[in-house]
Amino acid sequence: MDEQAIIETEDLTKVYKTQVAVDHVSFNVVQGEVFGFLGPNGAGKTTTILMLLGLTEPTSGKVRVLGVDPTRDSIKVKGMVGYMPENMGFYGDLDAVQSLKFIAELNNIPRDVADERIEAALRTVGLADEARKKVAAYSRGMRQRLGLAELVVKEPKLAFLDEPTLGLDPDATNRMMDLIESLSCEKGMTIVLCSHFLHMVQRLCRRVGIMIKGKMVAQGPMDRLAQEKLGLGAEEYTLEELYMKYFQET
Amino acid sequence: MQGWKPIFKKELADHFSSYRFIILFSLITMVSLIIAYMVGVTIKQDLEGVAKPKFVFLMLFISRGVVFSLVQFVAFFGPLIGLVLGFDAINRERNEGTLSKLLSQPLYRDAVINGKFLAGVVTISIMMASILLLITGMGLKIVGVIPGVEELCRIFLYLIVSIVYISFWLGVSILFSIIFRSIATSALASLALWIFFSFFVSMGATVVANAAAPDANSSNPEAMVRNAKIQRAISLISPMVLYTYGTATVIDPTRKTTSTMVLVGPMEKISQERFSGPLPLSQSILIVLPYILSLIAITAVCFAISYTIFMRREIRSL
């Protein structure tokens, strides 16, 4: 695997008025991996992602995403990076094809290329049959898959997925996991996955970062962390045990 | 400016397919047509057997029908069009979670407001132009007089000023949709501001003027002038008054000043008595230019405020 770092941060800090949301966080994400970004609610994961996208300015610290400083040139970063926010919204009165066309236009993708990509994306996420239904009539699972289709159309090098399986039924969750896996394997997308579904993270990711109260308390290959913290081998631990161990310590 | 075009296109499509736009448009068209019809019939009766005066056609817009003339109607209810098009521009996207998705695409933040504002202005333009064209068409049929070139120019100018005026209210409502998170709050705040400027400013102007310069009703002409001056100065903070002044001599060539009779200076009075004919277009424009420019200025200021607030907001509180 090409071990080129796609995200590099150094002492990244964000202070909102009096509250320190992100506290001197340094971590790397390398080319082609699925990085599990874990932590309790309000730990600062979303804020970190927003800083990596250049949507909010860090108070201090260095960031580089795909070799570009998002604080300086956020347009360039946003052109190369896809973001699927938690509770992603859709324009209810558009259908799937129209929504994807809108995304393609915003990304300056030429129309003929866009049309091909949209068709392929809808097939990939399994929405081809419902493509002409208004998004307002979509179920939660379908909406999340449409969100993923937006990423596929954009074809970013790096994608942030914030809670992609929140509120999905078990079948839809499995389907979502397969899709994320295929994005990583087939499209070669680097993925940062924020989730509380730890068994899913354990299945998809090799390396994880655990963030608690604004601090990155652990990062690295899951197996190594388990070895160090729990003294268990690769097959014996669950990520849940590991996560709870860190959580209780802080 | 990158990225405003797709937003502009989408917003325009949204405006034209939304129910509230269709309802408002049909309502305003209906009222305008009724006014034009009534005025047209009255003009026709009045002109029977009389030599045709100049600018008959413009009388369609300025004569009072039953209650309102068309110009007064637009001054009063035009703002509503602007408010309806913009009061939920930003906070709806924020509430539905589409704003963060939009902003994570490669576009500058200002593209979002630019696209929305422009789509609103185009919608307003199409709406106003079609209403004026409808009335012109009706006027042709009822009155049977063909408008002259100058009259058409005046109508066109009136159209432009009206678009700027309504765009100001669009800007106000977009500003409120940025400031307030809740759609209901931003709608109510814009309505409140509209009511304030439409009713209370002129009322307040009278009260303040009477307090500051009493004896206005006595035979003291100085006090009367002072009273009228104060009243005018205060009422000018209302965009509706600005608009009314700004269109007064444009659409009505027989008017030569925007002032009330009390405030007309001695020289102006003399010139008015000597030259009783209508004003040429260039002179009419000269008189109203300050008001039109102020109208453009407050629209720009309002837009600039929205701009700064929107650009500076933390994304988490957007």
Side-chain angles (χ1 to χ4, degrees), chain A residues 14 16 46-47 50 55-56 75 78-79 81 83 85 87-91 93-94 102-103 105-108 111 150 154, chain B residues 2-3 5-7 9-11 14 17 93 96-109 313-316:
Chain A
K14 178 74 189 179
Y16 286 118
T46 307
T47 308
L50 291 176
L55 285 174
T56 187
I75 300 293
K78 286 193 280 184
V81 178
Y83 174 42
N87 293 321
M88 189 180 199
F90 294 93
Y91 298 106
D93 46 355
L94 300 185
F102 184 53
I103 294 292
E105 277 175 30
L106 287 172
N107 283 290
N108 281 321
R111 189 167 288 178
E150 286 181 0
K154 191 172 173 180
Chain B
Q2 192 186 357
K5 266 189 201 152
I7 295 177
K9 262 167 65 187
K10 186 189 158 290
E11 287 295 312
D14 282 356
S17 55
E93 301 243 2
E96 288 182 0
T98 44
L99 192 60
S100 54
K101 180 169 85 177
L102 207 55
L103 291 178
S104 68
Q105 305 302 330
L107 48 90
Y108 292 103
R109 261 195 212 187
R313 273 267 166 93
E314 275 291 346
I315 185 95
R316 292 310 282 272

Side-chain angles (χ1 to χ4, degrees), chain A residues 1-4 29-34 184 190 206-207:
Chain A
M1 199 212 274
D2 185 6
E3 285 289 313
Q4 191 196 347
V29 173
V30 296
Q31 168 94 47
E33 74 170 332
V34 180
S184 163
T190 310
R206 198 175 59 85
R207 290 201 323 134

Side-chain angles (χ1 to χ4, degrees), chain A residues 55 60 62 91 93 95-96 106 126 134 136 138-139 161 166 186 195 203 211-212 233 239:
Chain A
L55 285 174
S60 66
K62 280 187 205 154
Y91 298 106
D93 46 355
D95 63 33
L106 287 172
K134 296 220 159 150
Y138 276 23
S139 69
L161 305 180
L166 195 71
E186 286 159 31
S195 184
R203 190 184 117 185
M211 198 166 176
I212 293 172
L239 183 57

Side-chain angles (χ1 to χ4, degrees), chain A residues 20 71 84 107 196 206:
Chain A
V20 183
T71 324
M84 191 170 148
N107 283 290
H196 299 304
R206 198 175 59 85

